[in-house]
C-alpha cells in the first residue's frame, strides 16, 4: 500500500527519495527537539525505510553486520580489560604533572587525553578524566571550568588520529571500502589528525581567555572523594522521592551526607544544584560524591548505573595497582594495533583476537566484557549506515552533491569547504556518527562527479565530523563535562565558533596536501 503511494516523481526525485528525505528530517527534528532516546529514534527510522520498501531487509538492518559496527562493539570488550586491570589509571598517573600556568595545564591535559582517545573511545577517556581534572585543578589553583572544555576538545581531536579513535572514522572508512573496495589502514588519518590536533591545542592556548571561570556544583569536595553521574531508571523506587527521603531510606549509601547528591541533570539536560527538597523524576541523572567503596555499593545495591565510569570506580574501590595483568592487557592492546597497522590481520580480526585474549588471560570476565558494550551506541551506528545507504540508492546523495557543485562552480577546494562547513554545522545538533554516515555518500558522489580522489573527501569528512566545538550538544563528551564544569550554553559558543573555523582551515589545508585531488 505504502509502496504504491511512493510511486511518483517530483523535481527529479522519486517518491522513495522524498520519503527518505522526510525520514531524515523527522530524525533530525526528533533528536533536536524531543526527549526520545536516540536509539529508539534510529530504530523507528530503519523500520520506516524497510516498511515503505525504500530498503530491503539487508539494506535496513544490515548495518548490524557491517565490519565497522562490529569493530566498535568488540572494542568495548577490549576497553573493559584495560579498565579492569588499571591500565588507564596508570597511564594517567604518569602523564600528569604540576604545571605552573594555565597554558602548561592545558598542554599537559590535552596531549595525554588526545593520545588515549586515538586508541580508545573518547567518552570513556573523558569520563575517566573528569574526576582527575577536578582534583588536579584544585591542586593547581585553577577553576575546573578552565580545563574541562579543553578536555572534551582534546578527546575529539585525538580521536581523528587513528581509524579506531572515533566511530565516524570507522563508519566513513566502511562506506569508502564498500564503494571502492579499498581497505584503509589504522593510521591512514594519523598525519592529518596530528596536524589538526597541534593546531587545535595551540588555538585553545591562544583563546584561553575565552574559557569561562564557573563555579561547579561539584566544587568543594576533598581530594580523596570521587564524583559519579548515575541514571535513575524510569521504574526506579527513587522516582517521586525527595533527596531527604532517599538519604533517610538508604543510610549506608548516604550516611551523614558523605555521599550527598550534589546535583541533578534532568531528562532535558538542565543541571540544577540539589537540595533536600529536590524531587527525583524518571530519566534524571544524579551526581553523587563519596569514597570509591561507597560509590561502588550504591551502584551494586541501588540499581543505579553509569556505563562510562563503572570500570574506573571498580579499579579505585579495590585499589588495583600495576601488576602482571596490567602488563598483559597493555600488551594485548599494542598487539592489536600493530597487527592491523602492518596489515598482518584485518582490523575486525585483530579486535576480535584482542577481546578474546582479554577474557582468556582474565583481564576481564566475559560478563564484564558484555556489560561494557553500549547497545544504544551500536544501534545508532547501524542506523546511521542504513540512512547513508538510503541516501545513496534513492539518488538523494548525488542530487545534493550536484547542488553543491553548482554552488562551488565545480572547484574541488570550494566543494570540499562547503561540505565540511555543512557537516560541522549539522554535528553541532545531531550525532556526529549520523552526520558522517549521511554525508559520506554525498562526499563520494561529489568527488566522483569532479573526477578527483574520493579519499580526500572522506578524510576531510572524518575530521569535520569530529570538529563540533560550538554547542554542548555537539558531542557526548561535551555533555559529560557540561554539568561538572558548571557551564552555560554560551560558554561553548564563545570559544567553539572560532575553533570551528580554525580547524576547518587546518583540515582543508593538510588533507589536500597529504591526499591530493
Amino acid at each position: 500500500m505504502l509502496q504504491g503511494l511512493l510511486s511518483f516523481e517530483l523535481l527529479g526525485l522519486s517518491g522513495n527519495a522524498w520519503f527518505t528525505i522526510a525520514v531524515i528530517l523527522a530524525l533530525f527534528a526528533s533528536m533536536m527537539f524531543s526527549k526520545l532516546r536516540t536509539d529508539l529514534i534510529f530504530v523507528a527510522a530503519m523500520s520506516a525505510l524497510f516498511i515503505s520498501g525504500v530498503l530491503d531487509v539487508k539494506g535496513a538492518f544490515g548495518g548490524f553486520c557491517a565490519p565497522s559496527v562490529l569493530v566498535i562493539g568488540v572494542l568495548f570488550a577490549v576497553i573493559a580489560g584495560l579498565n579492569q586491570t588499571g591500565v588507564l589509571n596508570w597511564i594517567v598517573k604518569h602523564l600528569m604533572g604540576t604545571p605552573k600556568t594555565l597554558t602548561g595545564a592545558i598542554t599537559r591535559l590535552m596531549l595525554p587525553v588526545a593520545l588515549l582517545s586515538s586508541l580508545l573511545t573518547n567518552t570513556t577517556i573523558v569520563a575517566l578524566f573528569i574526576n582527575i581534572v577536578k582534583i588536579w585543578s584544585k591542586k593547581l589553583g585553577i577553576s575546573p571550568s578552565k580545563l574541562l572544555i579543553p578536555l572534551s576538545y582534546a578527546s575529539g581531536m585525538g580521536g581523528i588520529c587513528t581509524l579506531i579513535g572515533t566511530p565516524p572514522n570507522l563508519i566513513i572508512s566502511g562506506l569508502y571500502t564498500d564503494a571502492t573496495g579499498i581497505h584503509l589502514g589504522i593510521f591512514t588519518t594519523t598525519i592529518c589528525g596530528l596536524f589538526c590536533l597541534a593546531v587545535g591545542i595551540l588555538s585553545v592556548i591562544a583563546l584561553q581567555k575565552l574559557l569561562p571561570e564557573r563555579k561547579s556544583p561539584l566544587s568543594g569536595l576533598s581530594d580523596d572523594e570521587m564524583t559519579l553521574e548515575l541514571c535513575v531508571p524510569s521504574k526506579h523506587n527513587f522516582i517521586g522521592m525527595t533527596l531527604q527521603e532517599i538519604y533517610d531510606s538508604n543510610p549506608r549509601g548516604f550516611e551523614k551526607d558523605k555521599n550527598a547528591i550534589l546535583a541533578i541533570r534532568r531528562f532535558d539536560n538542565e543541571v540544577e544544584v540539589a537540595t533536600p527538597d529536590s524531587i527525583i523524576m524518571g530519566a534524571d541523572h544524579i551526581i553523587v560524591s563519596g569514597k570509591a567503596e561507597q560509590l561502588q555499593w550504591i551502584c551494586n545495591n541501588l540499581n543505579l548505573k553509569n556505563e562510562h565510569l563503572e570500570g574506573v570506580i571498580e579499579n579505585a574501590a579495590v585499589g588495583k595497582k600495576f601488576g602482571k595483568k596490567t602488563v598483559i592487557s597493555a600488551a594485548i592492546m599494542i598487539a592489536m594495533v600493530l597487527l592491523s597497522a602492518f596489515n598482518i590481520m584485518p582490523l575486525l580480526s585483530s579486535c576480535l583476537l584482542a577481546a578474546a585474549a582479554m577474557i582468556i588471560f582474565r583481564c576481564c570476565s566475559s560478563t564484564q566484557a558484555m556489560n561494557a558494550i553500549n547497545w544504544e551506541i551500536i544501534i545508532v551506528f547501524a542506523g546511521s549506515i542504513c540512512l547513508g545507504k538510503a541516501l545513496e540508492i534513492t539518488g538523494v546523495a548525488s542530487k545534493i552533491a550536484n547542488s553543491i557543485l553548482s554552488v562551488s562552480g565545480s572547484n574541488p577546494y570550494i566543494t570540499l569547504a562547503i561540505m565540511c562547513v555543512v557537516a560541522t554545522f549539522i554535528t553541532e545538533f545531531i550525532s556526529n556518527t549520523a552526520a558522517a554516515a549521511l554525508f559520506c555518500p554525498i562526499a563520494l558522489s561529489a568527488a566522483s562527479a569532479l573526477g578527483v580522489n574520493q579519499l580526500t573527501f572522506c578524510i576531510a569528512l572524518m575530521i569535520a565530523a569530529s570538529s563540533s566545538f560550538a554547542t554542548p550538544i555537539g558531542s557526548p563528551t561535551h555533555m559529560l563535562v557540561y554539568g561538572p564544569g558548571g557551564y552555560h550554553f554560551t560558554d561553548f559558543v564563545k570559544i567553539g565558533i572560532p575553533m570551528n573555523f580554525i580547524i576547518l582551515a587546518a583540515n582543508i589545508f593538510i588533507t589536500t596536501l597529504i591526499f591530493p585531488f
Side-chain angles (χ1 to χ4, degrees):
M1 178 67 176
L2 186 55
Q3 295 179 22
L5 293 174
L6 296 178
S7 57
F8 66 90
E9 187 170 319
L10 178 66
L11 300 178
L13 290 174
S14 66
N16 283 348
W18 284 110
F19 185 78
T20 299
I21 293 173
V23 168
I24 292 173
L25 291 177
L27 179 137
F28 283 5
S30 298
M31 293 178 67
M32 292 171 61
F33 303 115
S34 80
K35 299 178 177 66
L36 295 173
R37 283 170 42 185
T38 305
D39 56 337
L40 296 180
I41 295 172
F42 274 86
V43 168
M46 288 187 285
S47 300
L49 292 172
F50 170 64
I51 294 171
S52 66
V54 174
L55 294 175
D56 57 14
V57 174
K58 183 179 179 180
F61 303 104
F64 290 102
C65 300
S68 55
V69 175
L70 294 176
V71 166
I72 294 166
V74 174
L75 281 175
F76 281 118
V78 176
I79 292 168
L82 296 174
N83 269 337
Q84 294 299 321
T85 56
V87 170
L88 301 184
N89 290 340
W90 186 88
I91 293 174
V92 169
K93 180 180 178 181
H94 289 81
L95 288 179
M96 306 291 281
T98 53
K100 304 298 183 183
T101 64
L102 177 58
T103 296
I106 290 173
T107 304
R108 292 296 293 267
L109 174 65
M110 294 185 75
L111 284 174
V113 168
L115 171 65
L116 290 171
S117 296
S118 68
L119 298 174
L120 306 171
T121 58
N122 51 11
T123 50
T124 299
I125 299 305
V126 171
L128 171 67
F129 269 84
I130 286 177
N131 189 66
I132 294 168
V133 168
K134 175 183 72 70
I135 296 172
W136 193 51
S137 62
K138 184 176 180 179
K139 292 179 178 178
L140 298 179
I142 299 172
S143 171
S145 62
K146 291 282 189 181
L147 296 174
L148 288 174
I149 283 180
L151 164 63
S152 185
Y153 284 1
S155 71
M157 290 187 288
I160 61 179
C161 293
T162 65
L163 207 63
I164 62 173
T166 184
N169 286 9
L170 286 167
I171 296 296
I172 294 171
S173 67
L175 295 173
Y176 174 79
T177 299
D178 290 343
T180 64
I182 301 173
H183 293 270
L184 301 182
I186 192 172
F187 295 120
T188 300
T189 62
T190 299
I191 296 178
C192 295
L194 288 175
F195 179 82
C196 290
L197 172 63
V199 171
I201 293 176
L202 292 174
S203 299
V204 171
I205 291 172
L207 299 171
Q208 61 182 270
K209 290 186 178 180
L210 298 179
L211 292 169
E213 184 156 358
R214 301 291 185 194
K215 182 176 177 60
S216 167
L218 309 182
S219 59
L221 304 178
S222 64
D223 288 351
D224 59 351
E225 289 181 317
M226 303 184 73
T227 60
L228 191 62
E229 183 173 326
L230 302 170
C231 179
V232 181
S234 57
K235 294 184 179 180
H236 200 278
N237 59 357
F238 279 5
I239 295 174
M241 296 176 66
T242 65
L243 296 191
Q244 188 60 56
E245 290 172 337
I246 293 174
Y247 298 152
D248 293 340
S249 60
N250 297 278
R252 178 172 177 181
F254 303 99
E255 182 181 2
K256 296 180 181 179
D257 289 346
K258 288 182 180 179
N259 293 99
I261 298 172
L262 301 174
I264 303 172
R265 181 159 67 86
R266 299 296 186 182
F267 56 87
D268 58 358
N269 284 323
E270 289 293 327
V271 179
E272 63 180 58
V273 177
T275 67
D277 295 326
S278 298
I279 297 176
I280 296 298
M281 295 179 285
D284 281 348
H285 287 69
I286 57 175
I287 301 173
V288 186
S289 72
K291 306 289 185 181
E293 295 86 351
Q294 294 168 317
L295 293 178
Q296 186 64 43
W297 185 92
I298 291 174
C299 291
N300 291 341
N301 295 277
L302 299 183
N303 193 28
L304 300 169
K305 294 183 178 181
N306 185 306
E307 64 272 13
H308 300 304
L309 290 184
E310 285 180 351
V312 178
I313 293 300
E314 288 172 6
N315 287 340
V318 299
K320 288 185 178 178
K321 298 180 180 180
F322 186 91
K324 182 172 68 174
K325 288 187 178 180
T326 311
V327 175
I328 291 173
S329 61
I332 291 171
M333 181 68 189
I334 293 171
M336 183 191 79
V337 172
L338 293 177
L339 287 172
S340 176
F342 291 102
N343 293 320
I344 299 172
M345 188 178 290
L347 179 58
L348 177 57
S349 299
S350 62
C351 290
L352 284 168
L353 183 62
M358 289 290 187
I359 297 172
I360 292 171
F361 288 100
R362 298 183 178 180
C363 298
C364 67
S365 67
S366 57
T367 301
Q368 289 169 333
M370 288 298 296
N371 290 340
I373 299 175
N374 189 318
W375 294 104
E376 179 177 348
I377 290 178
I378 298 297
I379 291 172
V380 170
F381 295 162
S384 299
I385 291 177
C386 160
L387 295 176
K389 288 186 178 297
L391 285 176
E392 183 180 2
I393 68 171
T394 58
V396 175
S398 60
K399 190 77 171 180
I400 296 175
N402 290 333
S403 299
I404 294 176
L405 291 175
S406 65
V407 173
S408 66
S410 296
N411 184 307
Y413 289 96
I414 297 177
T415 303
L416 187 63
I418 292 174
M419 186 194 70
C420 289
V421 167
V422 177
T424 301
F425 174 78
I426 291 295
T427 57
E428 296 290 1
F429 300 98
I430 69 166
S431 160
N432 58 358
T433 303
L438 294 175
F439 274 88
C440 189
I442 298 171
L444 292 170
S445 296
S448 178
L450 289 169
V452 297
N453 188 0
Q454 291 180 315
L455 185 57
T456 308
F457 276 66
C458 287
I459 297 297
L461 181 59
M462 289 180 187
I463 298 173
S466 296
S467 301
S468 54
F469 304 111
T471 69
I473 60 176
S475 168
T477 61
H478 295 351
M479 288 309 307
L480 279 177
V481 303
Y482 189 74
Y487 293 119
H488 300 166
F489 189 94
T490 53
D491 293 335
F492 280 83
V493 176
K494 289 176 182 177
I495 189 171
I497 290 179
M499 284 292 295
N500 279 345
F501 284 104
I502 290 170
I503 299 302
L504 171 67
N507 178 10
I508 295 174
F509 169 77
I510 192 65
T511 301
T512 54
L513 180 66
I514 303 300
F515 301 96
F517 288 121

